[in-house]
Amino acid sequence: MDSRAVDSITIKRSKFFYSNGTQFFLRGVTYGSDSLDILADREACERDIKALVSLGINVLHVYGVDSSQDHGECMERFMEKGIYLLIDLPITSTYIYIDSTTWTNEKFSAYMDMVDAFAFYTNTLGFYLVDNSITDSYIKARGYRSIPIGGYVLTDSDYAQETYRLVADYMACGNSSIDFWALVDYSWCDNSTFTSSNYSRLTESFSDYPLPIFLADYACEPTTENNSDVAGRIFDEVGTIYGPRISDIWSGGIVYEWASSSYSDPSDYALVNLTDNTIQLNQNYKSLSTQLAAINPSITQMSAYTPTITTAPSCPDESATWAASTILPPTANTLVCDCMIASLHCKVDPSTSANTITSVQATLCTSNSTICDGFTSNVTSSTYGAFSVCSPWQQVSWAINQYYLNTGSCSQKTTTASLQTLEALNSSCIDILAKAGPLGKTPIYSDITIANSTSDSNITSVYSDTPTDSSRSLSGGAIAGIVVGVLLAVIAASSLIIFYLRRRRSRNTHIAQELEVTTPGQHVTPAELGNEGQKAELWANNTSTSTGATSPRDLAHEGDAM
């Protein structure tokens, strides 16, 4: 399949740029939901694309994506129309929650599968997550183009107001950093102002931030009992987002949301109403269209851009408010877990139910805490066992084997644990287990390298005896995920708050109108800058021609065989 490629977006300090050096502002919308991989639904993408282009959208924030599905047709259709994608990596099944702050092989594999699925598309603007450094290392090791990685955090809860800048600094400090940062803000309701909303405070707070920042999920959380301050949105914040007060600091924003999510009724924040796979433009769509048509942000050329903030922020000091340590957990690594399992006399069946594993593990850890030292994960004390990266059945096998070594019994009433003949260990396993120690208390740190090939079989690890401090160089996979420490402070809390807010939104029904969109204009890379007062970004019909090159969709499938 031929594809019409768009230029990938690059970053210079705190701004995004097209490849021709013209500044890029996000005019985005949240698209899809946790329960539906909309990028795998060709009919849905085709259904929506005219209305998206007519609205002037150039970025879609997509979550709930399943990396095993085929996304080629949707990605290429959006590519043809100059629409870029920001894709969430922490899919629901692999979120790192505040009560489970571990970075495991399963989570690492899920994140890397997502990178593999979308790295070949030039309209992949970036990945949303805060487990940055190990993912960035994987992208480099695979030989993919430099794909931006960033994260986002809620700003308008009481706790978030104390910590949102600390989170941003933590993610950008040291020698390894995220590439961009976004803020979720629901403070601007109809008739709000720059000063009565959070916008003035946020702009002042991030005026010295060295990376691109933008608004993610900008909307209004209602303050009235009947939601009257939300119904019939007028989007007067749009003029401020792209206006002279903040556009030198902010790079645009992403409005919440395209169609009603699975957590809201049809009268939510949606720009379109969806009935029987047909969209109807509602009043929200018309209001946003009017506001976006009027924006005229001041465009900077990369050649004329001299950043004034050129140094990374200092890492926040640990305190009662901020508990994220700079000592990071061990790297996810299947070899560590495979070697551990091979060394056990006593182990459980991998098919043992999650409830049984949880129950047995709790019983064993309570009876003798040293039994579970091998998979301890405590972000406040920076204490991590060597096998904290392993799956639950592997961890409970370690615990039962420790119980066996102490008591001579491999029996647990509720498990299928059995005594087995020890496997012969190779020299690598012997070295790993020696480093872990008899109780598994010493974490194994490693760097990811891929030698001379992008084949998965050539992914190897180089081990280190010392933990990684995020204030030093955070090269490669030595970081098991910056987010694990951050989560204790605010990231997980913010993610759960956002998740909760999306669930509980219920709004008055908007006026629905039939979709009547003529052939839309194509938003292309700006060919030139207009004079003062003119649009700097050009809208023109699509005149690009097929490159005849192998499509990103084909390359993505070739990547499966690498």
Side-chain angles (χ1 to χ4, degrees):
M1 178 187 295
D2 290 338
S3 114
R4 295 174 177 177
V6 296
D7 293 330
S8 57
I9 301 300
T10 61
I11 291 174
K12 180 178 179 180
R13 286 298 177 181
S14 63
K15 298 185 187 300
F16 293 101
F17 292 93
Y18 290 102
S19 61
N20 72 346
T22 299
Q23 188 178 357
F24 176 83
F25 281 92
L26 286 80
R27 298 187 304 274
V29 65
T30 302
Y31 189 64
S33 70
D34 283 326
S35 61
L36 173 67
D37 182 358
I38 197 165
L39 293 183
D41 188 342
R42 178 187 59 80
E43 291 184 1
C45 296
E46 198 64 43
R47 174 198 69 206
D48 296 337
I49 197 164
K50 286 185 178 181
L52 287 166
V53 173
S54 181
L55 186 59
I57 295 300
N58 64 4
V59 173
L60 302 178
H61 169 206
V62 183
Y63 51 99
V65 177
D66 180 354
S67 62
S68 68
Q69 299 298 308
D70 184 353
H71 307 99
E73 293 191 64
C74 282
M75 290 297 292
E76 292 191 356
R77 285 291 287 133
F78 289 135
M79 187 184 298
E80 291 170 7
K81 299 302 182 182
I83 296 176
Y84 294 83
L85 283 295
L86 276 172
I87 300 167
D88 270 13
L89 288 184
I91 55 179
T92 303
S93 63
T94 54
Y95 272 131
I96 302 174
Y97 290 107
I98 198 166
D99 60 351
S100 180
T101 53
T102 55
W103 175 244
T104 66
N105 293 322
E106 178 188 13
K107 293 168 184 174
F108 173 79
S109 178
Y111 285 17
M112 299 311 102
D113 286 346
M114 198 75 77
V115 170
D116 288 340
F118 290 96
F120 292 101
Y121 299 102
T122 56
N123 60 330
T124 298
L125 174 58
F127 295 111
Y128 258 143
L129 88 166
V130 279
D131 303 301
N132 168 60
S133 295
I134 195 166
T135 308
D136 184 57
S137 172
Y138 181 81
I139 289 172
K140 292 176 181 177
R142 276 293 211 182
Y144 295 147
R145 67 179 174 88
S146 179
I147 305 173
I149 301 170
Y152 55 94
V153 67
L154 191 72
T155 63
D156 50 0
S157 70
D158 291 340
Y159 181 60
Q161 289 185 21
E162 297 180 26
T163 57
Y164 64 79
R165 181 58 201 253
L166 293 175
V167 177
D169 286 348
Y170 186 87
M171 300 306 296
C173 71
N175 294 328
S176 182
S177 167
I178 54 168
D179 299 303
F180 62 84
W181 192 245
L183 301 171
V184 176
D185 187 82
Y186 300 137
S187 69
W188 191 303
C189 295
D190 292 349
N191 301 316
S192 292
T193 66
F194 179 66
T195 53
S196 67
S197 68
N198 290 334
Y199 284 30
S200 175
R201 173 171 56 84
L202 294 175
T203 300
E204 181 180 2
S205 178
F206 283 90
S207 61
D208 62 346
Y209 199 61
L211 305 176
I213 60 170
F214 55 89
L215 285 166
D217 275 16
Y218 68 85
C220 165
E221 184 61 22
T223 58
T224 58
E225 186 173 347
N226 64 355
N227 302 330
S228 61
D229 51 352
V230 174
R233 302 165 72 184
I234 61 176
F235 294 104
D236 53 351
E237 68 265 45
V238 170
T240 297
I241 293 171
Y242 299 94
R245 274 183 166 177
I246 70 174
S247 61
D248 187 50
I249 297 171
W250 300 84
S251 293
I254 298 173
V255 67
Y256 186 83
E257 63 181 329
W258 179 245
S260 296
S261 72
S262 58
Y263 308 123
S264 54
D265 67 24
S267 63
D268 205 306
Y269 284 94
L271 302 178
V272 300
N273 297 334
L274 180 60
T275 305
D276 296 329
N277 204 35
T278 300
I279 60 171
Q280 295 177 312
L281 308 184
N282 61 34
Q283 188 59 44
N284 286 342
Y285 180 100
K286 288 188 170 184
S287 297
L288 181 60
S289 179
T290 299
Q291 296 285 357
L292 286 175
I295 66 173
N296 185 25
S298 177
I299 302 293
T300 298
Q301 283 290 327
M302 185 187 292
S303 59
Y305 173 49
T306 303
T308 57
I309 309 298
T310 58
T311 58
S314 300
C315 295
D317 294 329
E318 293 181 50
S319 65
T321 301
W322 184 256
S325 172
T326 57
I327 303 299
L328 300 171
T331 311
N333 191 305
T334 56
L335 182 60
V336 170
C337 303
D338 291 344
C339 289
M340 178 267 284
I341 287 295
S343 73
L344 304 183
H345 297 271
C346 192
K347 64 191 78 172
V348 302
D349 191 298
S351 63
T352 303
S353 72
N355 287 339
T356 297
I357 288 174
T358 300
S359 175
V360 172
Q361 185 170 302
T363 299
L364 291 172
C365 294
T366 301
S367 66
N368 184 345
S369 61
T370 62
I371 285 177
C372 300
D373 284 347
F375 48 88
T376 293
S377 181
N378 189 317
V379 295
T380 55
S381 64
S382 302
T383 304
Y384 308 105
F387 312 118
S388 59
V389 302
C390 301
S391 63
W393 80 268
Q394 291 171 323
Q395 292 179 349
V396 81
S397 291
W398 171 264
I400 289 177
N401 191 74
Q402 290 292 305
Y403 178 80
Y404 164 77
L405 295 176
N406 291 339
T407 66
S409 173
C410 190
S411 174
Q412 290 293 315
K413 293 180 180 179
T414 57
T415 71
T416 56
S418 58
L419 191 62
Q420 300 181 24
T421 303
L422 286 179
E423 300 179 31
L425 300 178
N426 60 33
S427 59
S428 294
C429 283
I430 292 172
D431 182 52
I432 288 171
L433 295 172
K435 285 181 169 64
L439 295 178
K441 296 176 66 173
T442 304
I444 308 295
Y445 289 84
S446 59
D447 284 331
I448 297 172
T449 61
I450 301 180
N452 302 322
S453 172
T454 54
S455 170
D456 290 331
S457 62
N458 287 313
I459 297 178
T460 59
S461 297
V462 179
Y463 296 96
S464 169
D465 295 321
T466 57
T468 301
D469 187 319
S470 68
S471 65
R472 300 199 300 266
S473 174
L474 304 186
S475 61
I479 299 179
I482 286 179
V483 70
V484 177
V486 179
L487 281 171
L488 188 65
V490 70
I491 290 289
S494 296
S495 298
L496 294 175
I497 291 170
I498 295 168
F499 186 79
Y500 169 71
L501 289 174
R502 285 176 175 166
R503 278 183 174 273
R504 75 182 183 89
R505 291 186 184 126
S506 178
R507 305 290 177 260
N508 296 327
T509 303
H510 298 301
I511 300 172
Q513 298 187 347
E514 293 295 331
L515 173 61
E516 296 179 355
V517 183
T518 58
T519 302
Q522 163 67 24
H523 183 216
V524 297
T525 302
E528 60 183 6
L529 290 177
N531 295 325
E532 185 175 357
Q534 294 180 324
K535 288 286 187 182
E537 293 185 312
L538 302 180
W539 292 80
N541 290 329
N542 182 10
T543 57
S544 61
T545 57
S546 173
T547 63
T550 303
S551 74
R553 182 185 178 194
D554 295 334
L555 289 173
H557 288 298
E558 287 177 14
D560 295 339
M562 287 183 176

